[in-house]
Amino acid sequence: MQLNQEDGGNRRYLCIQIPQDLQETGNDFKANNVAINEGYKNICEIGKERIRRAGKKIKEENPLNTQNLDTGFRVFKLDETNMNDVYYSANEYSQDLLPMLESNVKADRTDLDLLFGCLLEWGLPLSLPYTSETIEGCTVHTYNDGDLIACFDENIPDSVVKAIAKRQPLRAVFRDSSFADSPSKINVGEVFKLLAPDTRVKVI
């Protein structure tokens, strides 16, 4: 960030850190206690705060030429797939298993988990801009001005599907539970064939 400020560059960087618990690190007991008392639980949280403070300091020290300096960053955590394991052999099925098969997406996953999971599957960069907006009560995510548009709400009305299709994104993503039944899901394909025939539609 400092170099970008000095020469107007556009360098990017990755910081990778194991979320090591501060109470388990023996490097600097006193410093760790101070950080814990300030509310930090692990080294990742300290790292994020250091980046924020560095960006703020650079802007404060150079107010005239840092108006457009990008000091923002995104934080990702490695995790397992967003999808439930719904593949079982016949002898593994039981009555207790049925509630787990109602949705193929894990219950604790957010819209952003699903959005960035799709970006990884399609090989899209994770650093591009995205926006979220509400269309007729549904949350619609647009990534990089239409490289991908996603809506993961339940029971999306046809009008919202058409609004997305009219934007003619390169890719469109919905959840399986976004549709009340199979005919509704088939109708989505027909809407895109009519309004955005070049859009790749995916249902997760």
Side-chain angles (χ1 to χ4, degrees):
M1 289 188 292
Q2 182 68 49
L3 285 172
N4 287 342
Q5 179 270 317
E6 291 173 359
D7 63 12
N10 189 29
R11 300 170 184 84
R12 299 180 182 184
Y13 60 92
L14 292 172
C15 294
I16 301 170
Q17 176 64 56
I18 295 173
Q20 188 173 6
D21 193 300
L22 289 174
Q23 293 180 334
E24 297 175 359
T25 62
N27 296 336
D28 190 334
F29 182 77
K30 183 177 180 181
N32 286 352
N33 278 341
V34 171
I36 291 170
N37 290 335
E38 290 183 2
Y40 302 106
K41 297 179 181 178
N42 58 52
I43 294 177
C44 286
E45 292 182 3
I46 293 175
K48 288 186 284 185
E49 183 60 22
R50 289 183 68 187
I51 296 171
R52 290 188 192 100
R53 292 184 186 186
K56 182 180 179 182
K57 181 180 179 183
I58 292 169
K59 288 193 170 186
E60 287 176 347
E61 292 178 349
N62 306 276
L64 297 179
N65 60 349
T66 57
Q67 294 92 342
N68 298 320
L69 180 66
D70 183 4
T71 61
F73 61 96
R74 289 180 181 161
V75 180
F76 297 96
K77 180 175 70 174
L78 289 177
D79 204 340
E80 297 176 346
T81 174
N82 291 320
M83 314 309 288
N84 280 317
D85 185 359
V86 294
Y87 299 103
Y88 297 90
S89 61
N91 62 345
E92 292 177 304
Y93 280 96
S94 66
Q95 196 70 27
D96 296 338
L97 194 61
L98 294 179
M100 293 176 57
L101 303 179
E102 291 177 1
S103 174
N104 56 338
V105 176
K106 291 179 179 175
D108 62 343
R109 299 309 158 100
T110 66
D111 276 16
L112 290 184
D113 290 332
L114 299 178
L115 175 65
F116 282 93
C118 291
L119 297 180
L120 288 171
E121 286 183 22
W122 259 315
L124 295 172
L126 302 181
S127 57
L128 300 176
Y130 76 90
T131 59
S132 297
E133 63 184 303
T134 301
I135 301 177
E136 296 186 31
C138 295
T139 302
V140 176
H141 307 277
T142 301
Y143 195 76
N144 198 36
D145 294 328
D147 279 0
L148 183 148
I149 296 182
C151 184
F152 302 113
D153 284 26
E154 303 280 335
N155 299 321
I156 301 173
D158 286 347
S159 54
V160 173
V161 173
K162 289 177 181 177
I164 293 172
K166 285 178 181 177
R167 298 182 183 184
Q168 298 186 333
L170 295 178
R171 307 164 183 86
V173 186
F174 304 93
R175 284 182 67 157
D176 189 62
S177 58
S178 296
F179 312 107
D181 47 37
S182 294
S184 299
K185 193 187 304 184
I186 294 170
N187 184 56
V188 170
E190 296 303 314
V191 168
F192 275 88
K193 281 181 184 178
L194 179 65
L195 299 177
D198 295 326
T199 298
R200 295 171 60 188
V201 180
K202 180 173 184 176
V203 177
I204 61 173

